[in-house]
DNA sequence: TTATAAATGAGAATGTTTATCATTTACTCC
DNA sequence: GGAGTAAATGATAAACATTCTCATTTATAA
């Protein structure tokens, strides 16, 4: 567990809950985590942080640029470390597996479209939903 | 108020609440409506339909292909008539104004990307967020 | 080390959506 | 057209994710 420099730079105190959450994203198994998942994984590893604090910390990390928030289909927000390079996502509707991609053709078309419609672009979100064909995929359709 | 044929085709009974909701989408001012907006607009025009029924009807219409559901940034679902041709959206973060677009270059890139990652594509969602430059655009989003 | 502002935990509250169930309504058959 | 039946509705409770409140704890700076 390290890297309090991000927290300092964001003007946030170095607290135990914040370090635990950060550690989960830096050293955990999943890049993409919901608040509930963060909360449960911390509980499971003996660290107890209140759910309210998990939500607060995730929002603060998003605001300070440490995390990025995504709105996959459905209700809950999902977060991942902000490594500085934008990317979009393909989500498996059977097993939830997520693949990341970046396509400069799509990105530049988006800029052009926004300009054509007289919009100053802030942000965008692109999610592709489908069925992955991995062996591991539990509900994999036998084609 | 007309067009019960869609309802028949979907195997749904022709009920007053369903006709009222359908009418709102067909003859109302906004193409894109949340459940709450549908409910309030019906109330405002004297028609009273319970909120539970609004949610039920919207979901049924989505399932039967009469409406399409969108997940714009934020919490609530937004619906619009399914006119058969897919399109994506640019949303103004100041005033909520929505522009629609279709870009075949983006569409084909998405197919290629899904294929490259071994995904059988079901669906996708693309939202561009920005500031529109219309005269009418106020500096606060009208919720 | 102490003072102080910030952060936390517990639980209440909020906003959106779904579930329950008694009552009403639309469609079918006579 | 009128009764029978299954489906739809309304009122409200419940579920769910998320935010708020406030008393207590903690991190930081003097
Ligand atoms: Mn990602
Ligand atoms: Mn649209
Ligand atoms: Zn899968
Ligand atoms: Zn605008």
């Amino acid at each position: 567990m390290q890297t309090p420099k991000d927290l300092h730079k964001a003007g946030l105190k170095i607290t135990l809950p914040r370090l635990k959450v950060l550690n989960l994203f830096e050293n955990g198994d999943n890049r993409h985590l919901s608040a509930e998942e963060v909360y449960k994984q911390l509980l499971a590893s003996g660290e107890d942080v209140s759910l309210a604090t998990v939500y607060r910390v995730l929002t603060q990390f998003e605001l300070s640029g440490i995390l990025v928030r995504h709105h996959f289909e459905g209700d809950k927000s999902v977060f991942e470390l902000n490594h500085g390079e934008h990317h979009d996502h393909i989500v498996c509707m059977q097993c939830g597996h997520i693949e990341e991609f970046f396509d400069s053709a799509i990105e530049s078309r988006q800029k052009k479209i926004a300009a054509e419609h007289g919009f100053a672009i802030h942000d965008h979100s692109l999610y592709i939903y489908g069925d992955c064909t991995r062996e591991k995929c539990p509900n994999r359709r036998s084609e």
Side-chain angles (χ1 to χ4, degrees), chain A:
Chain A
M1 207 188 288
Q2 76 276 53
T3 321
K5 57 186 171 184
D6 291 330
L7 297 181
H8 268 138
K9 196 158 43 181
L12 297 171
K13 286 186 180 176
I14 315 296
T15 65
L16 246 17
R18 285 176 180 150
L19 288 175
K20 290 174 185 171
V21 170
L22 203 47
N23 179 59
L24 197 57
F25 279 99
E26 289 175 340
N27 305 327
D29 297 327
N30 308 54
R31 287 187 46 71
H32 308 90
L33 295 171
S34 69
E36 192 70 30
E37 287 167 344
V38 168
Y39 176 66
K40 283 184 179 159
Q41 290 198 26
L42 289 179
L43 276 193
S45 59
E47 323 277 7
D48 65 338
V49 176
S50 94
L51 183 57
T53 298
V54 169
Y55 274 102
R56 270 187 299 239
V57 168
L58 291 176
T59 300
Q60 292 160 344
F61 283 6
E62 182 198 8
L63 253 43
S64 62
I66 296 170
L67 295 180
V68 181
R69 181 194 299 259
H70 300 294
H71 299 278
F72 295 95
E73 194 122 334
D75 26 22
K76 58 187 78 166
S77 290
V78 172
F79 299 82
E80 72 176 313
L81 277 180
N82 178 5
H83 53 71
E85 293 164 24
H86 163 77
H87 61 262
D88 294 298
H89 299 87
I90 312 182
V91 185
C92 176
M93 296 172 81
Q94 304 302 318
C95 69
H97 174 70
I98 298 173
E99 294 260 339
E100 305 179 329
F101 70 90
F102 176 85
D103 188 87
S104 54
I106 290 180
E107 300 290 325
S108 61
R109 288 301 298 158
Q110 287 179 15
K111 285 188 190 120
K112 173 164 265 178
I113 290 163
E116 283 170 3
H117 287 265
F119 274 67
I121 199 169
H122 277 198
D123 196 9
H124 74 265
S125 72
L126 169 56
Y127 306 114
I128 300 176
Y129 302 97
D131 295 334
C132 81
T133 51
R134 303 179 309 145
E135 282 295 335
K136 298 174 187 173
C137 184
N139 305 338
R140 150 165 194 265
R141 41 196 288 235
S142 47
E143 82 214 53

